[in-house]
């Protein structure tokens, strides 16, 4: 198990937490992570693209000119694909891009991504970003700066942590996510991953009673 210091709002250390080796020191399977990320990005596509075929475009009901005697190629409609304003051949149609990805594959890919970040020293834990119950972006960024200077930071919070959510939601370099929604893509696209202590306990499945006893 790897120990990580818990950073306070003032930038000090209030202790340390153990990162389980089965989650934060697992073998990174690059092809698996690639497959999971591709599936996640594919599922995010709307798939509402549509091009009209020659049977769907308006007009073209009348034969443009007679069949024979003009010296030109015979044509039956001005809405054929070779004409301007005609239909599109083999154009895009609405479709579902989502791919079936088993839960075990997603979990294994996430473990590999977190392990890669942890081995590089890019996983951090803080008590909170703001002291008190009043949101403050300035104070939250001050705490974040003491933890990491990375340009892309993934901050993992609990759903009930409203103060930290409101404090960091407008910062461009920060992406906020709930502990239960943590995924491979967001971990890999971020330079550093910062957990609050409560979010880490929730992610690891530590009961609330046990977390309170530790504190």
């Amino acid at each position: 198990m790897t120990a990580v210091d818990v950073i306070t709002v003032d930038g000090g250390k209030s202790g340390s937490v153990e990162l389980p080796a089965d989650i934060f020191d697992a073998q990174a399977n690059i092809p698996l992570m690639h497959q999971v990320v591709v599936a996640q990005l594919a599922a995010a596509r709307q798939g509402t693209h549509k091009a009209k075929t020659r049977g769907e475009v308006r007009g073209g009901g009348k034969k443009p000119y007679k069949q024979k005697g003009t010296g030109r190629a015979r044509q039956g409609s001005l809405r054929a694909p070779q004409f301007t304003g005609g239909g599109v051949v083999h154009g895009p149609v609405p479709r579902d891009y989502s791919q079936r990805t088993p839960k075990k594959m997603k979990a294994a890919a996430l473990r590999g991504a977190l392990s890669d970040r942890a081995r590089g020293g890019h996983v951090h834990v803080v008590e909170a970003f703001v002291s008190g119950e009043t949101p403050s972006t300035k104070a939250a960024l001050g705490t974040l700066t003491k933890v990491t200077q990375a340009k892309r930071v993934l901050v993992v919070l609990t759903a009930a942590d409203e103060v930290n959510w409101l404090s960091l939601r407008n910062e461009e370099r920060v992406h906020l996510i709930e502990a239960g929604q943590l995924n491979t893509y967001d971990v890999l696209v971020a330079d550093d991953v910062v957990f609050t202590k409560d979010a880490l306990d929730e992610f690891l499945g530590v009961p609330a009673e046990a977390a309170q006893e530790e504190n």
Side-chain angles (χ1 to χ4, degrees), residues 90-171:
H90 306 306
V93 294
R95 55 165 292 191
D96 180 13
Y97 283 93
S98 62
Q99 304 175 17
R100 179 184 176 275
T101 309
K103 291 182 180 180
K104 289 185 177 181
M105 290 178 58
K106 294 180 182 178
L110 179 57
R111 288 195 299 269
L114 288 173
S115 298
D116 177 74
R117 291 295 180 262
R119 281 191 286 267
H122 299 295
V123 174
H124 312 279
V125 181
V126 299
E127 282 189 342
F129 291 94
V130 180
S131 59
E133 299 298 326
T134 302
S136 173
T137 300
K138 181 178 180 180
L141 292 180
T143 303
L144 183 64
T145 302
K146 297 170 185 175
V147 177
T148 175
Q149 299 289 335
K151 293 183 178 180
R152 295 185 299 271
V153 182
L154 177 64
V155 175
V156 187
L157 305 172
T158 61
D161 193 356
E162 185 176 356
V163 175
N164 287 321
W165 275 97
L166 294 176
S167 299
L168 289 171
R169 64 180 180 178
N170 290 329
E171 175 58 26

Side-chain angles (χ1 to χ4, degrees), residues 3-58:
V4 177
D5 293 329
V6 179
I7 309 300
T8 63
V9 175
D10 299 327
K13 300 177 183 178
S14 64
S16 62
V17 292
E18 298 289 343
L19 301 180
D22 58 339
I23 298 178
F24 292 92
D25 194 19
Q27 180 65 35
N29 188 331
I30 296 178
L32 174 62
M33 290 191 292
H34 176 269
Q35 181 178 346
V36 170
V37 168
V38 168
Q40 182 177 342
L41 295 179
R45 298 184 64 175
Q46 288 186 330
T48 56
H49 39 43
K50 178 68 172 71
K52 292 184 178 181
T53 66
R54 63 181 295 173
E56 296 170 328
V57 293
R58 184 177 180 181

